[in-house]
Amino acid sequence: MNHEYFIRRCYSLAIDAGKKGYDTFGAVLVHEGNVVAEAENTADYKKGLFGHAEFNLVHKLANRFSDQMLSESTLYTSCAPCTRCLMAIASLGIKKVVYGVSYGRFALLLPFVPKAIDYESILSRMDVEMHLSGPVLEDEGMQVFEWWGGEYRPLAELLQESEDMRKANQHG
């Protein structure tokens, strides 16, 4: 399977979402080498709408494809999925998730230092079979965030702003 091809499709969807004013995330489901569904981020935090790309994809897939087909498929996502999205993915029985940007690299864009979580171990203890693999084309994926929220800003600027906020939060 050509992970790079499908991750690049996720990155394209993520940029499209960013240009529409959303956060830059995209996801696709691949079965037997073909994209069967895709989604981009539509979260609107002011309205309280979750809308993560993986969550939106799960909604498209639910009650549309058989359990067997879903368990044989791979979900690709531009960035390692959050807890809520992982639970939604697990609810469909999808066992393989490939991500572009890792939790650690994405955390560099946050104004706080997130707690590291071993999702695979937690899922395993719940008898949920899921394998997360990545990062894939991570440097390319970090560039996608330049379109975060509809306005182009260089990655170096975003990273510096986040670092400054983390420092301020530690001292404030």
Side-chain angles (χ1 to χ4, degrees), residues 24 95 135 144:
T24 49
K95 294 175 176 29
V144 167

Side-chain angles (χ1 to χ4, degrees), residues 101-115:
V101 176
S102 66
Y103 293 108
R105 285 289 294 278
F106 177 70
L108 296 175
L109 291 163
L110 300 174
F112 58 91
V113 178
K115 181 175 149 184

Side-chain angles (χ1 to χ4, degrees), residues 28-126:
V28 300
L29 186 78
V30 175
H31 183 256
E32 297 180 347
N34 298 304
V35 173
V36 294
E38 56 187 33
E40 29 180 87
N41 188 308
T42 59
D44 185 331
Y45 300 104
K46 291 177 185 166
K47 293 181 181 177
L49 302 176
F50 185 64
H52 287 192
E54 303 92 340
F55 198 77
N56 289 342
L57 184 59
V58 165
H59 279 271
K60 285 184 175 185
L61 300 171
N63 297 314
R64 185 170 162 208
F65 297 103
S66 72
D67 290 345
Q68 180 177 340
M69 184 271 220
L70 292 169
S71 73
E72 295 169 352
S73 298
T74 302
L75 189 143
Y76 288 86
T77 180
S78 59
C79 191
C82 72
T83 304
R84 197 166 166 184
C85 287
L86 274 175
M87 294 302 112
I89 294 165
S91 76
L92 291 182
I94 295 170
K95 294 175 176 29
K96 293 175 278 200
V97 176
V98 178
Y99 57 86
V101 176
S102 66
Y103 293 108
R105 285 289 294 278
F106 177 70
L108 296 175
L109 291 163
L110 300 174
F112 58 91
V113 178
K115 181 175 149 184
I117 300 171
D118 182 356
Y119 289 111
E120 282 186 87
S121 291
I122 293 168
L123 290 167
S124 177
R125 285 190 301 242
M126 295 169 31

